[in-house]
Amino acid sequence: MEACPVCLHGGAHPLTMAQSLLDTMPGASTGTVLVTDHLNYWGGQRVQPRQQKDAEPVFEPATGRVLCQMVPCVAEEVDEAIKSAHGAYLKWRKMAGMERARVMLEAARIIRERREKIAKLEVINNGKSITEALVDIDIAWQCIEYYAGMAGTLAGQHVQLPGGAFAYTRREPLGVCVGIGAWNYPFQIAAWKSAPALACGNAMVFKPSPMTPVTAVILAEIYKEAGVPDGLFCVVQGGAATGTLLCHHPMVAKVSFTGSVPTGKKVMEMSAKGVKQVTLELGGKSPLIIFKDCEFENAVKGALMANFLTQGEVCCNGTRVFVQREIMPQFLEEVVKRTKVIPVGDPLLDGTRMGALISKPHLEKVLGFVSQAKKEGAKVLCGGEPFVPSDPKLKGGYFMSPCVLDNCRDDMTCVKEEIFGPVMSVLPFDTEEEVIQRANNTTFGLASGVFTRDISRAHRVAENLEAGTCFINNYNISPVEVPFGGYKNSGFGRENGQVTIEYYSQLKTVVVEMGDVDSLF
């Protein structure tokens, strides 16, 4: 018997709101949750949309059911949220780094305490497996903890000048920053953008993807509970129109966007009108190069991790797998054998390793890439078809079987374009020089990887690959301590690591004269 829907109503005290929604999670299962809470957040509380028109349904990917309605914010609401953030920024910027750090550490602690509940809600809205979602939530609190540790270290320089004069620099916040998130890592991206912003003394207005509006507001409530000034992290819902309002708003100092290349270009163009700083984390078509002297077992595991996490909906995935010709047959045999047994199904079950894709149109698009690949001469070794799990409640879900393509050429659509689904294209190569040239022959440059036992080759290849990250003998690990970002059309600016502080702050030079003015006049 199907459990009755768990309805989650707005109107509770703001501090207990995060609890009310999350507290139903332990008993929730796929196909039972309905979200009726307001999804906007500013001034320290959830905010009811001013009007209900243009509401869009948000789906539960595993069942195809409507999970909630997303009502896009209009100009007055965006303005209200930004003003709320600006008021909070004026208080927050005056606090010492150590004071900000204590609040952020408390937020990290609360997330850690509620990780199972947050992960479950993330799965219901996004479709990825619970095993992966738990890791995402852990990375989120680790990111906030990491930048809390950096908040107290922000400092300038002292420079001695002639005649006893001196200068010093101050690292100052930018003001109100806008974060625009993607649907593949909804909660984690909200943390990746807000943590460095808050550590530097900024406020943030965050717009989640219209397909995954549910968990960013949980982060807003957690920051409030941890003690940030009301309005410091606001959430506005909507699609392109709301994004445009944010990019054009005169009180916004910076925009950090994660998403596709075409949208990234538009964000940059709109932000340029107000000379706003921009960080762009865009798409990829990353190469993974496997040499014949690799540790074979690790290379196979690496290729699977590089293609099938989050149903293949990961921007840094290594979707062009170049395998040295001598080991190509056994590589394909082993990869296909393991791909065929990946458990696809209910994302809330611990045994599931691949959940549902984000939406029906996206599933159809990915399947379209597979049929296009066949037309162009690629050979489907396994998968690439709609998948219907045995559980009847999942029959409307957006599932497909993970796919491996052989007989690929560099000029095929499946090798050139970002598919953003569980499709691995495997290509043979002969020499190191040849494969580097082929790997770099793309407009993207987000990530790359190489498997080899030859230490000189590993570093040589890493140096020559045109990408923001190169993994050696592993793939798709993203520790918060190291910078992440793109080369070429994959974007610029960085997230994570110490360097990101520079993207959320600005430098003021103060020059102090201790003697008389030496004037020409």
Side-chain angles (χ1 to χ4, degrees), residues 182 257-267 280-284 315 365 418 420 444 489:
F257 169 80
T258 299
S260 71
V261 177
T263 311
K265 288 176 178 172
K266 285 185 191 131
V267 165
L280 300 176
E281 297 288 353
L282 309 177
C315 48
K365 185 180 165 189
E418 185 174 36
F420 226 61
F444 294 112
N489 278 7

Side-chain angles (χ1 to χ4, degrees), residues 135-187:
V135 175
D136 295 353
I137 307 308
D138 286 342
I139 290 173
W141 67 253
Q142 285 162 16
C143 179
I144 295 169
E145 197 170 80
Y146 176 79
Y147 284 108
M150 289 201 69
T153 70
L154 303 182
Q157 247 185 333
H158 176 278
V159 181
Q160 196 62 49
L161 299 172
F166 64 93
Y168 63 91
T169 57
R170 290 168 50 93
R171 189 159 286 287
E172 299 185 347
L174 299 169
V176 176
C177 300
V178 160
I180 300 177
W183 46 257
N184 54 349
Y185 290 86
F187 192 86

Side-chain angles (χ1 to χ4, degrees), residues 376-399:
E376 292 179 23
K379 186 177 174 196
V380 176
L381 297 184
C382 66
E385 293 170 332
F387 178 80
V388 182
S390 53
D391 184 338
K393 74 178 174 196
L394 305 176
K395 68 174 189 293
Y398 317 132
F399 297 93

Side-chain angles (χ1 to χ4, degrees), residues 272-486:
K273 290 188 168 65
V275 199
K276 300 184 199 312
Q277 296 192 29
V278 177
T279 291
L280 300 176
E281 297 288 353
L282 309 177
K285 190 73 189 177
S286 301
L288 173 57
I289 303 172
I290 297 172
F291 286 93
K292 63 184 176 192
D293 69 345
C294 66
E295 209 298 313
F296 187 75
E297 172 66 11
N298 281 335
V300 170
K301 285 187 197 159
L304 295 169
M305 290 295 281
N307 282 272
F308 298 140
L309 285 177
T310 306
Q311 303 77 245
E313 301 161 323
V314 181
C315 48
C316 50
N317 270 358
T319 49
R320 291 183 294 146
V321 181
F322 293 96
V323 181
Q324 205 154 18
R325 206 174 294 275
E326 292 88 330
I327 60 165
M328 183 85 160
Q330 76 237 53
F331 176 83
L332 284 172
E333 186 187 348
E334 198 52 41
V335 159
V336 168
K337 188 171 97 186
R338 295 189 197 191
T339 302
K340 281 178 169 169
V341 296
I342 293 172
V344 182
D346 187 340
L348 283 179
L349 299 180
D350 290 336
T352 299
R353 285 296 169 268
M354 189 177 286
L357 278 75
I358 190 69
S359 69
K360 198 169 174 52
H362 186 64
L363 172 63
E364 284 161 3
K365 185 180 165 189
V366 173
L367 293 168
F369 272 111
V370 177
S371 42
Q372 176 72 15
K374 284 194 230 172
K375 279 191 200 122
E376 292 179 23
K379 186 177 174 196
V380 176
L381 297 184
C382 66
E385 293 170 332
F387 178 80
V388 182
S390 53
D391 184 338
K393 74 178 174 196
L394 305 176
K395 68 174 189 293
Y398 317 132
F399 297 93
M400 71 175 279
S401 46
C403 176
V404 179
L405 297 174
D406 183 19
N407 211 24
C408 298
R409 297 183 317 277
D410 293 359
D411 62 352
M412 286 179 170
T413 310
C414 64
V415 177
K416 289 194 301 193
E417 293 184 24
E418 185 174 36
I419 296 175
F420 226 61
V423 181
M424 180 194 301
S425 301
V426 188
L427 305 115
F429 76 92
D430 294 300
T431 68
E432 179 185 324
E433 195 183 8
E434 164 222 340
V435 79
I436 285 171
Q437 190 270 319
R438 289 169 64 196
N440 287 336
N441 185 22
T442 171
T443 56
F444 294 112
L446 193 51
S448 58
V450 55
F451 276 82
T452 176
R453 282 200 184 93
D454 181 334
I455 188 167
S456 306
R457 169 186 282 149
H459 292 290
R460 193 167 59 235
V461 170
E463 181 191 348
N464 286 304
L465 287 169
E466 295 164 2
T469 298
C470 181
F471 298 100
I472 296 176
N473 295 333
N474 205 337
Y475 205 93
N476 263 350
I477 52 167
S478 50
V480 295
E481 304 94 322
V482 297
F484 174 83

